[in-house]
Amino acid sequence: MSRIPLLAITQGDPAGIGPEIIAKAFRDAPERLRGCFAVGDVATLRRAAQLLQGPGRCALPVAVIAAPQDALHVPARCLPVLPLPGLPGPLPFGQVQAEAGRAAAVCVQWAARAALHEEIDGLVTAPLHKEALHLAGVDFPGHTELLQAEAAIHAGVPIAQMPVRMMLANESLRTVLVSIHVSLRDAIDAVTSANVLETLRITHAALGRSLGRAPRIAVAGLNPHAGEAGHMGREEIEQIVPAIAAARAQGM
C-alpha cells in the first residue's frame, strides 16, 4: 500500500476567499484530501467553515493538530488546522490590509520550510493579495518569488543563483512561462536568448524527472504569426530561435 503524502494548504489572505475555498474542499472532497491540512489561524478557518452552513448542510468541524502527521488521524469531512503563533484572528472581509498580507506570507514561509526540510511532501497555496503583501513589507510580488527566496536560503545561495519558473500543468499539457509577475512591457523585454534558454533548461530538467524520459518542448513565438520572418517583429529571429538552437546543441 502506497504512503499517503502529507500536504500543507496555506490559508491565503484571511480577508479573502482562501479560507472558504479550503473549507469547501474538505467538505466536498474528503476522500481526496486525506493527509492534507490547513496552515493558519484556527479562528479564521472556523469562520470559513461556519460560512458553509445552510438549509440541509451540516457544519464542517475543525480539528486543531500539533504536527503534520496528525492530519492522517482526523476523520473525513473535518478540517485539520495546524495553527501558527502570532497570526491575527478573523479580519474584515474584502479589505486590503497589512496584517492580512503578513499572515498570508507567514503561512507560505512555514510550509516552504517544512517541505524543504522534508517534514511534509508538498504545499498547496490558497490565494493571497499582492498589494496586501506589499503593505506588510514583504518584498515579493507573489508566491513564486516567496518560494524562490526560501529555496535560496535553504540552499545557502544568493537568490540570483536559484532561478525558477512557473509551470501550469495538467495530465495533457504543461506550460512554462519565461517571465512571471512583471508588466507587459517588461515581459516583452524579458524575451532574450539567455532567459529563453534558461527556461528551456529548467523545463527540460523538471519534466525529465517527472516524466522519466526526455520531454518534447514547443516554444511559442512572441509576435503575431511568430513575427512573419521579421515583418511583425524580430524577437523570434534575434532571441527565440537562437535559444532553441543552443538548447538543441545541449541535447534538449
Side-chain angles (χ1 to χ4, degrees):
M1 184 175 177
S2 60
R3 183 178 68 85
I4 297 171
L6 288 171
L7 300 178
I9 308 174
T10 61
Q11 73 173 12
D13 190 305
I17 199 171
E20 188 178 346
I21 291 172
I22 295 169
K24 285 181 176 178
F26 278 91
R27 180 196 67 185
D28 296 343
E31 69 287 346
R32 302 182 113 185
L33 274 84
R34 291 219 38 219
C36 299
F37 62 96
V39 178
D41 172 65
V42 174
T44 295
L45 287 152
R46 279 202 171 116
R47 177 178 69 172
Q50 290 165 0
L51 290 173
L52 307 186
Q53 294 185 61
R57 294 200 300 266
C58 297
L60 178 74
V62 172
V64 179
I65 61 174
Q69 58 268 26
D70 295 344
L72 296 170
H73 308 297
V74 173
R77 285 199 172 84
C78 182
L79 171 54
V81 178
L82 194 151
L84 299 185
L87 296 186
L91 295 171
F93 285 125
Q95 293 185 17
V96 180
Q97 48 207 302
E99 275 292 271
R102 183 184 70 81
V106 167
C107 294
V108 174
Q109 289 165 334
W110 182 93
R113 291 166 190 172
L116 289 165
H117 287 98
E118 300 183 356
E119 297 164 7
I120 59 174
D121 297 295
L123 63 149
V124 177
T125 57
L128 49 68
H129 197 288
K130 275 65 170 180
E131 185 182 352
L133 280 184
H134 177 74
L135 290 173
V138 179
D139 194 24
F140 301 105
H143 282 117
T144 310
E145 295 81 2
L146 260 172
L147 296 173
Q148 178 187 23
E150 290 298 326
I153 292 169
H154 181 76
V157 300
I159 197 166
Q161 292 181 26
M162 185 62 67
V164 300
R165 295 294 187 271
M166 181 185 294
M167 179 187 291
L168 314 175
N170 61 26
E171 292 192 3
S172 303
L173 178 67
R174 295 144 184 93
T175 302
V176 181
L177 312 179
V178 171
S179 60
I180 309 174
H181 295 116
V182 296
S183 71
L184 180 57
R185 184 178 301 280
D186 288 342
I188 293 170
D189 291 340
V191 181
T192 65
S193 284
N195 282 343
V196 174
L197 180 56
E198 186 168 66
T199 303
L200 288 169
R201 286 185 187 132
I202 292 171
T203 303
H204 189 272
L207 291 182
R209 290 191 299 269
S210 63
L211 297 176
R213 59 170 173 80
R216 297 177 65 238
I217 303 173
V219 181
L222 174 67
N223 296 297
H225 302 198
E228 284 282 13
H231 296 290
M232 296 183 184
R234 297 190 57 81
E235 284 84 1
E236 288 77 13
I237 293 170
E238 295 173 358
Q239 306 296 338
I240 297 175
V241 169
I244 294 171
R248 284 178 170 157
Q250 295 174 22
M252 292 179 250

